[in-house]
Amino acid sequence: MVSRRINYVKFVFAFLIAGAIFFGGLFLGSQLTSLQIHNITSIQEDLKTSLASLELRHDLLKQNICGISDFGLFGAELGDLGRQLADVEKGFGKNKENILKLKEPYFLLEIRHFLLLQEAKNKCGNDIDLVLYFYSNDPKQCEQCDDQGYILSYLQDKIGYEKIKIYSFDIRSQSPSVQTLMDLYNVERVPLVVINDNVYNQFLTLEEIQEILGVADTLG
Amino acid sequence: MIFFESNLILYYFGIFFTLYIGVFYLITLFENREKIRDPKVGKLYTLSIIVPAFNEAKTIGKTLVSLKNLNYPQDKIKIIVVDDGSTDNTYEIASRFSGVKVIKKENGGKASAINIGLKEVGTELVAVMDADSFVTEHALWSMVGYFRNKRTMAVTPALKVYSPKGFWQGVQYVEYLFSVFFRKMFSFLNGVYVTPGPFSVYRKEFFDKYGDFQENNMSEDLEVALRIQSHDYKIENSINAEVFTVAPNNFKALLKQRVRWYSGVLNNLYAYRHLFGSRRGYLGIFVLPVTLVSIVLVLALLGYYGATLFISLLKNLYQIRLVSFDVMGIAQDYLANFSVLKYISPTLVLFVLTISFTVTIFILSRIYSQDKGKVFGSFLMYALVYGPIFGVMWITTIAHKILNLKIKW
């Protein structure tokens, strides 16, 4: 007779090794993701410092805010941070609460930068378009927000930070500052886009936004 | 903190299952590493080689040349070609070879051709050789020593794709190399469940006792292997006995072949379902169940994540439309902002680990079977497409079964 003896210990041993590899991989992946999040937090801290410096220069210059020329540079850095946050969102699901918490400091940076840039635009006649975009990543609250966000990201990259700055706010944010901004523009339904203080309470196509901004010809 | 996505449960199960199987077989290899080498040849058995052929004029000459070149006393070998009603000049080509008996019969299928050949066999061993396959000189010498064990009823070779050209043969070349490894592991576990057509060698007495090849069975090679297992005999494997076979070179031919094979798997596993269970050792408790679970798992993964990926692709296409199809602009933004970091996640790390395991097994297979082919490009193609191809083959097979469609050669 052919030996049909089974060594059950082998099954257990294989299970333990495979389990160790599996959970090791899960742990390693989680650690690498934590590094990403730590990196984002670190960038947020750096940007807080840069923005504080910008605001301080604004206070010092008071009458001569038009002397500050690096709003655009800060805007680009803020944009990079926004992109990294979006990447983390994609990896972990846009609807996760811990991801929303990660975005709170970013929203505050956006509001502070928006206020500075708005003042510079009013006082110095800067030819820069300021766009506020209110959205929700909860598909039950907003089905079209994903598409609206896609169009606005595309425009930001295409036109550049010297000519347009788009600030995006998740309406699920618990931040009082974000809530105040929502009250100012009467945000009840999303997507809602504010272009140079004009409120558009519906989904805007690329062509419609281009027409509002008057950039249809330059984009091609 | 460990990030665990609940919508990826099926994916995690697939990864763990693959890792588990890989680890199990690597432990098996480690336990049996001294037995990788083929046993010394003791007795020089007499052997008949049956070559069933139907319209194989293109390849049968090369097949017979390779058999004539076997490094084994030629007076111990008898070659019998059974022409199964070919309409080309298969018969004429085979007849030109001296020392080869050529029998012509009406078309009745491969098994019937083999059985006609079996009637002519008076030797101790009998091999079946597909007429589109070629043995290496040392193949038989590597296999014969296993018959010193009286319980060994069959020995299988290390089957590889002959001179792969193009995409389809390249993918199959890699697939067959994986099979070379797994078949050896199955043999260590007494779990070999198929004796492939190209140059499996049997002890003649098995057919005398338990009957010839089943003529109404599309996968007669699978059936006879299960029958051997059913009667509690051994099937061994020689990882050094290289035999090359011509693989289909287009999707239609490959699909036809695989529907036939996979239908055979389903039919024969059902007919021999008594082989499942611990009474049959690792064959019944591991090898056969894992085969079935793998099929179901691949289909489930492809179905669920394939659909998710497809919907995601459709969404991407729709969003490109939103920005006036500015594909160049999107591509430029993507490249300008590209960062590997954004793809790093537990999902990716687990995937990389599993691929590493797969590559390890592939490398081991190449080392132990002394494979010298250029495989890098083929391996990449295999890694990208094998899963979906496997899924399509199985879905087609299941559809054939459900719709009761005729399966053709």
Side-chain angles (χ1 to χ4, degrees), chain B residues 296-347:
Chain B
V296 172
L297 192 57
V298 167
L299 289 174
L301 283 166
L302 277 174
Y304 182 74
Y305 295 110
T308 310
L309 187 65
F310 182 68
I311 290 167
S312 175
L313 272 170
L314 281 179
K315 189 174 174 187
N316 282 338
L317 282 172
Y318 171 73
Q319 285 187 333
I320 291 173
R321 192 184 70 84
L322 289 175
V323 296
S324 304
F325 296 105
D326 182 13
V327 177
M328 280 300 291
I330 294 165
Q332 275 167 351
D333 288 339
Y334 178 78
L335 287 170
N337 297 310
F338 179 78
S339 162
V340 170
L341 287 174
K342 74 177 170 190
Y343 294 105
I344 290 180
S345 66
T347 313

Side-chain angles (χ1 to χ4, degrees), chain B residues 111-130:
Chain B
S112 70
I114 298 171
N115 289 340
I116 292 286
L118 274 174
K119 289 188 180 20
E120 306 290 320
V121 172
T123 52
E124 294 159 299
L125 304 179
V126 57
V128 176
M129 180 63 176
D130 285 355

Side-chain angles (χ1 to χ4, degrees), chain A:
Chain A
M1 240 172 81
V2 169
S3 168
R4 299 281 179 192
R5 204 174 64 86
I6 297 169
N7 179 5
Y8 288 100
V9 172
K10 190 167 155 178
F11 288 104
V12 173
F13 197 44
F15 185 85
L16 290 172
I17 295 176
I21 296 169
F22 178 81
F23 284 104
L26 213 53
F27 179 74
L28 178 64
S30 300
Q31 289 299 105
L32 289 170
T33 307
S34 294
L35 270 174
Q36 255 186 298
I37 291 172
H38 178 75
N39 193 41
I40 286 170
T41 312
S42 172
I43 292 171
Q44 282 176 337
E45 288 304 313
D46 289 343
L47 284 179
K48 261 190 218 165
T49 308
S50 299
L51 189 57
S53 170
L54 208 59
E55 286 168 333
L56 199 56
R57 282 155 70 203
H58 163 255
D59 285 341
L60 284 170
L61 290 171
K62 270 211 184 337
Q63 302 304 313
N64 195 17
I65 187 177
C66 304
I68 300 174
S69 62
D70 52 355
F71 287 113
L73 183 63
F74 188 87
E77 287 172 352
L78 204 55
D80 275 344
L81 177 61
R83 218 189 314 275
Q84 289 193 41
L85 279 164
D87 290 341
V88 170
E89 266 185 323
K90 264 196 198 120
F92 289 93
K94 292 180 179 181
N95 228 348
K96 291 271 158 70
E97 217 185 276
N98 51 351
I99 301 300
L100 190 57
K101 276 203 184 112
L102 197 62
K103 293 198 287 188
E104 297 288 5
Y106 171 69
F107 295 146
L108 295 181
L109 285 168
E110 283 193 304
I111 293 172
R112 285 160 70 186
H113 187 253
F114 166 68
L115 292 172
L116 275 177
L117 207 47
Q118 195 177 47
E119 190 178 336
K121 181 181 162 120
N122 292 337
K123 283 190 177 164
C124 316
N126 287 0
D127 185 23
I128 184 167
D129 293 309
L130 296 178
V131 178
L132 300 176
Y133 167 50
F134 296 91
Y135 68 94
S136 170
N137 278 333
D138 180 351
K140 289 191 194 119
Q141 274 187 306
C142 183
E143 280 178 8
Q144 290 183 304
C145 283
D146 217 28
D147 294 339
Q148 187 71 87
Y150 186 84
I151 292 171
L152 289 168
S153 297
Y154 169 81
L155 268 174
Q156 179 70 82
D157 288 330
K158 204 79 180 163
I159 300 174
Y161 291 98
E162 297 300 324
K163 293 208 166 6
I164 189 170
K165 182 72 190 94
I166 299 172
Y167 302 92
S168 52
F169 302 96
D170 193 326
I171 61 167
R172 296 170 305 160
S173 167
Q174 301 297 310
S175 159
S177 304
V178 175
Q179 295 295 321
T180 304
L181 202 59
M182 284 169 60
D183 290 337
L184 270 174
Y185 292 102
N186 224 6
V187 178
E188 282 169 15
R189 282 184 316 117
V190 284
L192 185 141
V193 184
V194 180
I195 302 176
N196 296 325
D197 248 7
N198 298 309
V199 178
Y200 300 90
N201 201 352
Q202 79 263 15
F203 177 84
L204 294 174
T205 63
L206 176 69
E207 293 73 25
E208 284 168 342
I209 300 175
Q210 284 172 337
E211 206 181 306
I212 294 165
L213 293 172
V215 294
D217 293 336
T218 53
L219 283 182

Side-chain angles (χ1 to χ4, degrees), chain B residues 31 73 105 134 153 189 210 214 256 301 345 373 381 385-386:
Chain B
E31 283 177 331
K105 69 180 269 299
F134 322 108
M153 278 299 155
L189 301 171
Y210 303 106
Q214 277 188 5
K256 199 169 157 190
L301 283 166
S345 66
M381 290 189 295
V385 307
Y386 186 72

Side-chain angles (χ1 to χ4, degrees), chain B residues 243-254:
Chain B
V243 173
F244 293 91
T245 189
V246 175
N249 63 359
N250 60 71
F251 178 70
K252 195 174 163 194
L254 179 62

